[in-house]
Amino acid sequence: LDSSSGQELWRRQVSSEAVAPAQLNRDLVVVQLVNGKVTALDTASGEHRWTYDSQVPSLSLRGTAAPIVAADVT
């Protein structure tokens, strides 16, 4: 969303449900997903930048903290 007008700038579908609020810096919006992936999107365009994929156990409790985004990570 545009910070001054609230108008939607872009929308992006991700591969699974988000389990924590998205975190961002000036370059990236980072989303942690229920399928074990952490996906980074470009803040300006919403384009996919990278995905980190981890193994999800067969049985797990659902309660994940939001990712931490360092200022200079792109």
Side-chain angles (χ1 to χ4, degrees), residues 1-2 7 9 11 13 15-17 20-22 24-25 27 32 36 38 52 57 60 65 67-68 72:
L1 300 176
D2 182 89
Q7 180 180 357
L9 297 175
R11 181 182 297 249
Q13 185 171 348
S15 62
S16 185
E17 177 184 358
L24 62 132
N25 64 15
D27 298 315
Q32 186 162 355
V38 177
Y52 171 78
S60 62
I68 296 174
D72 296 331

Side-chain angles (χ1 to χ4, degrees), residues 51-73:
T51 297
Y52 171 78
D53 194 1
S54 63
Q55 296 291 327
V56 177
S58 298
L59 178 62
S60 62
L61 294 176
R62 200 168 164 187
T64 308
I68 296 174
V69 180
D72 296 331
V73 174

Side-chain angles (χ1 to χ4, degrees), residues 3-4 7 9 20 29 49 64 69 74:
S3 62
S4 59
Q7 180 180 357
L9 297 175
V29 176
R49 296 279 293 272
T64 308
V69 180
T74 56

Side-chain angles (χ1 to χ4, degrees), residues 12-16 28-42 46-55 73-74:
R12 180 76 178 199
Q13 185 171 348
V14 291
S15 62
S16 185
L28 300 174
V29 176
V30 179
V31 185
Q32 186 162 355
L33 306 172
V34 74
N35 62 2
K37 296 181 181 183
V38 177
T39 298
L41 308 171
D42 185 271
E47 289 189 39
H48 179 265
R49 296 279 293 272
W50 53 260
T51 297
Y52 171 78
D53 194 1
S54 63
Q55 296 291 327
V73 174
T74 56

